[in-house]
Structure formats: C-alpha cells, structure tokens
Amino acid sequence: MEAKIRLEHVTKSFKDTGVVLDDITLHVNDGEFVSIIGPSGSGKSTIFQCIGGLLQPEKGELFLDHRKINGETGNIAYMPQQNSLLPWRTVSDNVLLGQELFHKPDKQEAQKWLRKINLSDYQDAYPHQLSGGMKQRVAFLRALLSPQSVLLLDEPFSALDEFTRFDMQKWLLSIWEEKQKSVLFITHNIEEAIFLSDRIYLLSPRPAKIIREIKLPFRRPRCDQLLMESEFLALKREIYSDLKAGGLHESV
C-alpha cells in the first residue's frame, strides 16, 4: 500500500527546550487511520506543525505522496483540540471555510453532510447555540470537507465527558469510513487509539523517539462490544506497560 504522508528521520529542536523530536520516522498509508500516543510535552503537536509546514526540522524529510513538503503549508486539513469555529459565521458557513480557502465552496455537499450528522436543523445557527459535542462535529466536518487528502486530528475529544467522547468516536468512524481520508490522530487515551486506529505509534517522553509501532488486528466496522473483548483489554495493558517502560509515568 502506498504511503500518503511520510516522515523520514525527522529531528527538531528549540533553543529554550533543546531536542524535541529525535529521528522520527513514521507513515500513514492512503485511507489509513493512524494514532500517536505519548506523554504531554513529548512533541506530538510538534510533529503536526512540521507536517503542516509551520516548523522546519533541522534534519529529515517529509513527503506527501512522493513530493517533499518540508516547510510547505496548505497540504493538510487540521482539527485542533478546541473546535476553533468562527463565532460570527453560521454552522453552514463554518463547514465551508476550508473549501473557501482553496476553491469554490460546495453548499449542496455541506447540506448533505449536515443531514448525515443530524445537524441540518442547525445549519443557520451560530456556534454559541451548539453543545460541545455538536461543535466538535461541525469542526470535524469542516476538516473532512476540506480538499486536502490528509487529515490531522489533535486530541479533538479531550474536552468532552466520557459518554459524549465515546459517542463522538463512533460517529467519527462512521463518517471517516465513508470518506476514507488518511488520518493521523493524536491522543493520550489508549482505549481511544485502539478503538479508532489501523496502526498506533508509541512515543517516548522528550526528546521523542518511536518506542513501538503496533498494527491493530481488529476488523472494521468497530462496535461497542470490542472494548470488552479479551484481546482488546490485553492490548490495552500491553501498551500501558510499553509506555511506562519507555518513561511515561503519568496516567494515560
């Protein structure tokens, strides 16, 4: 399978904090969902900023398809931890923002997807009129409908309560499986990473190195019962043990 996005031996440091990324090599295949788990401050967001062209690594190369993209912006769609919806724009206009930046927006497609996520009644509403989960759905749909083929998700559900978070995970998978964009997902939550991903990369504390790459054995579509299966729980314990051995002592 062809890699859609690829990092090869990427190293990044800052004057005040020293080396943050130390020889990071990873990839996301076309249509694949890949997660990164690591401790706070390990450099997960720095990886995203390098991919997005906001930061230049001192060493290493980044590729989109087969094209080198070091320092280039505009190649990826991005969903941050906070929904970052523009408060003066309606739900429909927020969804179309990513398309507006690159080509003529497709209002009919936006309306179709708002119906799919049960938000068509809110297309003329403003962000302050939505719940937290609804805002995250709008933000994800905005990123999903952007023209870029790679989607970076930076802990998008971390601010949600446990039940809303699990509902959002299932919702995300149902929408992603229809669009099949290549996704790189940051999370602190081991269970979330296992449930969502095709593969997982484990990061050490700073300076970040890849501890392990894990290919998930679970078939799609994923269902609620998976979280209780013995193989799922065993893998969760195994990942926790790997992270702890790699120097992660905080709760994940």
Side-chain angles (χ1 to χ4, degrees):
M1 186 179 292
E2 286 285 326
K4 174 59 68 172
I5 194 86
R6 191 168 82 253
L7 282 67
E8 293 186 355
H9 306 293
V10 168
T11 296
K12 178 64 184 175
S13 60
F14 298 98
K15 288 183 179 179
D16 53 343
T17 57
V19 179
V20 177
L21 305 178
D22 186 7
D23 196 34
I24 296 293
T25 295
L26 60 81
H27 69 280
V28 181
N29 291 323
D30 191 21
E32 190 179 28
F33 197 120
V34 176
S35 289
I36 299 174
I37 305 177
S40 296
S42 63
K44 300 185 298 296
S45 294
T46 302
I47 291 173
F48 273 18
Q49 290 172 17
C50 288
I51 294 172
L54 301 178
L55 293 175
Q56 283 258 32
E58 288 88 51
K59 298 179 182 178
E61 296 179 319
L62 301 95
F63 297 91
L64 177 65
D65 295 318
H66 299 290
R67 185 171 60 85
K68 185 176 176 180
I69 58 169
N70 289 43
E72 285 190 17
T73 59
N75 291 306
I76 54 93
Y78 174 65
M79 180 178 173
Q81 294 179 31
Q82 303 301 320
N83 60 73
S84 300
L85 299 179
L86 300 180
W88 59 87
R89 293 178 68 111
T90 65
V91 165
S92 179
D93 288 340
N94 266 290
V95 165
L96 291 169
L97 182 61
Q99 293 187 356
E100 287 179 15
L101 296 174
F102 293 92
H103 54 65
K104 186 177 179 179
D106 187 339
K107 293 185 177 181
Q108 288 188 335
E109 184 183 25
Q111 291 171 352
K112 178 188 79 172
W113 280 93
L114 284 169
R115 286 194 298 272
K116 283 178 177 284
I117 65 173
N118 297 318
L119 284 180
S120 58
D121 290 342
Y122 293 88
Q123 64 180 359
D124 296 321
Y126 290 88
H128 73 273
Q129 298 172 294
L130 307 180
S131 68
M134 292 164 72
K135 290 176 184 177
Q136 291 301 90
R137 279 189 279 167
V138 173
F140 178 73
L141 188 56
R142 177 180 61 190
L144 189 75
L145 295 184
S146 295
Q148 297 89 345
S149 58
V150 176
L151 178 55
L152 306 184
L153 304 178
D154 190 353
E155 296 190 76
F157 308 140
S158 59
L160 303 177
D161 65 80
E162 185 175 354
F163 293 106
T164 304
R165 182 174 185 147
F166 185 55
D167 284 342
M168 285 297 297
Q169 291 167 9
K170 292 187 292 183
W171 174 85
L172 184 156
L173 282 184
S174 68
I175 299 299
W176 168 77
E177 284 167 357
E178 189 166 342
K179 270 286 189 178
Q180 286 287 298
K181 285 197 175 188
S182 301
V183 173
L184 188 58
F185 183 89
I186 286 176
T187 181
H188 281 94
N189 190 294
I190 296 173
E191 189 172 274
E192 179 172 70
I194 298 173
F195 184 70
L196 294 174
S197 307
D198 297 304
R199 287 186 298 113
I200 298 172
Y201 288 102
L202 306 185
L203 282 189
S204 71
R206 185 181 296 189
K209 296 177 178 288
I210 302 291
I211 298 173
R212 183 183 173 192
E213 176 189 348
I214 301 166
K215 185 174 182 180
L216 281 305
F218 310 113
R219 293 182 179 179
R220 298 189 185 278
R222 307 275 165 85
C223 60
D224 299 19
Q225 290 76 17
L226 176 62
L227 277 68
M228 297 294 108
E229 291 183 6
S230 58
E231 189 176 7
F232 184 100
L233 297 171
L235 183 55
K236 182 178 177 181
R237 290 191 295 269
E238 186 179 324
I239 290 174
Y240 179 81
S241 177
D242 284 346
L243 289 169
K244 192 171 182 180
L248 173 56
H249 299 291
E250 63 183 84
S251 175
V252 290

